[in-house]
Amino acid sequence: MSIWFTEKQTENFGITMKINKTYVSEQTEFQKLDMVETEEFGNMLILDGMVMTTQKDEFVYHEMVAHVPLFTHPNPKHVLVVGGGDGGVIREVLKHPSVEKAVLVEIDGKVIEYSKQYLPEIAGDLENPRVEVKVDDGFMHIATSENEYDVIMVDSTEPVGPAAKLFEKGFYEGISKALKEDGIFVAQTDNPWFTPELISQVFSDVSEIFPITRLYTANIPTYPSGLWTFTIGSKKHDPLEVPADRFHEIETKYWTPQLHTAAFALPKFVSDLL
Ligand code: AG3
């Protein structure tokens, strides 16, 4: 007998994976958390029935969230990750020697705890002395920060449950205030096949607040439709005008200096949303 997990990505469409083992299946204070071993993608974190990360394809998302804004900023020192309790974005952030301090604000301590246990190569850097981990509400953290960060990365779940307020215009206004005067932020903004309105809405909200707003994509096989988007809001530095000599040596599996720029070249049906 074999056991299969399906994430229903829409009412009528899903992704299905063979599960070898269930390590954790519990209701935390905030969400349903499952940690399983899949045959095809290794260990996988699922929140409220939605695939968050897998050992096999996590590098795409985490590299693209971190390196695009960090290379866009000429000297990122103080960085904030909202969400991202699995630690994948933090691992990538630490590859930038200019970063003196990276703060992670994750609302659900259980995500951190189980990621350390079952996704060690993703969460391993959460103990690094340059990292400060806070189990707290990212929305509140943003609301109480001013002129503090060079780069903010929003590594949230989907806009349902605890993350819903991280997709509202007021949150982006808070981010703008929390950033320094040449700060830059990125948020994961779902996919253009099943949630085109979300992409349009966020892009329009962000462009009312930030002088430079850009959308880029990456291919993530375990996320809905596989075509994932990220929205950047920047006060001063344009991700499309990064001087070539800023791209220092860095070990990656997806991100390259060429892809940094290429990721902003959008299919027509996607650019039509903006
Ligand atoms: N955060 C975004 C995951 C969204 C996936 N959506 C879905 N499966 N319906 C990922 C967290 C990784 N650090």
Side-chain angles (χ1 to χ4, degrees), residues 7 50-53 61-62 84 86 88-89 155-158 188 190 222-224 228:
E7 175 183 338
M50 293 175 273
V51 175
M52 286 299 123
T53 203
Y61 179 90
H62 294 133
D86 54 65
V89 174
D155 179 10
S156 66
T157 55
E158 304 265 338
Q188 71 90 1
D190 223 301
T222 57
Y223 286 179
W228 211 250

Side-chain angles (χ1 to χ4, degrees), residues 134-186:
K134 293 186 178 182
V135 177
D136 214 341
D137 183 345
F139 189 87
M140 288 311 291
H141 184 90
I142 286 289
T144 52
S145 305
E146 206 169 328
N147 196 24
E148 239 172 87
Y149 296 103
D150 299 303
V151 177
I152 295 176
M153 291 136 193
V154 185
D155 179 10
S156 66
T157 55
E158 304 265 338
V160 283
K165 53 191 195 294
L166 306 184
F167 289 83
E168 287 167 9
K169 191 169 177 197
F171 180 63
Y172 304 125
E173 281 160 354
I175 287 189
S176 173
K177 194 168 58 65
L179 285 169
K180 293 191 184 146
E181 98 263 328
D182 66 342
I184 175 164
F185 95 99
V186 65

Side-chain angles (χ1 to χ4, degrees), residues 235-261:
K235 294 188 182 180
K236 184 162 166 206
H237 308 291
D238 189 337
L240 290 174
E241 281 165 27
V242 177
D245 61 359
R246 188 177 299 156
F247 295 121
H248 56 77
E249 266 308 306
I250 188 170
E251 208 185 299
T252 58
K253 287 199 273 183
Y254 190 88
W255 184 93
T256 66
Q258 292 75 25
L259 196 68
H260 175 101
T261 305

Side-chain angles (χ1 to χ4, degrees), residues 105-134:
V105 183
E106 162 65 53
I107 198 166
D108 193 342
K110 292 282 182 190
V111 172
I112 301 174
E113 179 186 331
Y114 291 127
S115 298
K116 283 182 176 167
Q117 203 172 342
Y118 297 104
L119 305 168
E121 56 298 285
I122 305 179
D125 285 319
L126 288 174
E127 311 286 345
N128 187 293
R130 286 152 73 206
V131 177
E132 184 187 339
V133 177
K134 293 186 178 182

